[in-house]
Amino acid sequence: SVLSGGQKQLLNLASIMAMQPEVLILDEPDAPMSESVKNTFYDSLIEMKNKFEQMIVVTHSEKMQAFIQANDSDCNIIEL
């Protein structure tokens, strides 16, 4: 079967997480994802934030920003 762009993005993320980096940097991680895959990804963000000392997310997605702010009280949003 063929993976969608969002599914490939999730697979790439899982591969990186398996390497257990100290810092996780995500640049527009939900850009190629359908809404259903985005929801799965957002749920995974909650789990990821507990596994990494630092997680940096670069996004223009207002939905992602709102999700992060609602689910992470330690989050700092920097808008440029």
Side-chain angles (χ1 to χ4, degrees), residues 9 13 16 24-30 41 45 48 55-59 64:
Q9 188 79 340
L13 183 58
I16 291 168
L24 182 63
I25 301 172
L26 304 173
D27 184 15
E28 299 290 348
D30 64 341
F41 174 72
L45 276 179
M48 285 187 280
M55 185 167 64
I56 300 168
V57 180
V58 178
T59 185
M64 177 173 270

Side-chain angles (χ1 to χ4, degrees), residues 3-70:
L3 297 175
S4 69
Q7 290 169 327
K8 288 178 186 176
Q9 188 79 340
L10 289 175
L11 181 60
N12 289 335
L13 183 58
S15 299
I16 291 168
M17 289 178 63
M19 292 185 244
Q20 300 178 338
E22 290 182 26
V23 177
L24 182 63
I25 301 172
L26 304 173
D27 184 15
E28 299 290 348
D30 64 341
M33 297 179 184
S34 66
E35 287 303 311
S36 62
V37 175
K38 281 182 185 182
N39 292 333
T40 300
F41 174 72
Y42 292 160
D43 291 339
S44 299
L45 276 179
I46 300 297
E47 295 176 33
M48 285 187 280
K49 83 174 190 84
N50 296 323
K51 293 182 181 183
F52 297 98
E53 290 183 32
Q54 297 287 320
M55 185 167 64
I56 300 168
V57 180
V58 178
T59 185
H60 291 97
S61 167
E62 291 179 8
K63 183 176 180 179
M64 177 173 270
Q65 289 177 22
F67 178 84
I68 291 170
Q69 286 178 320

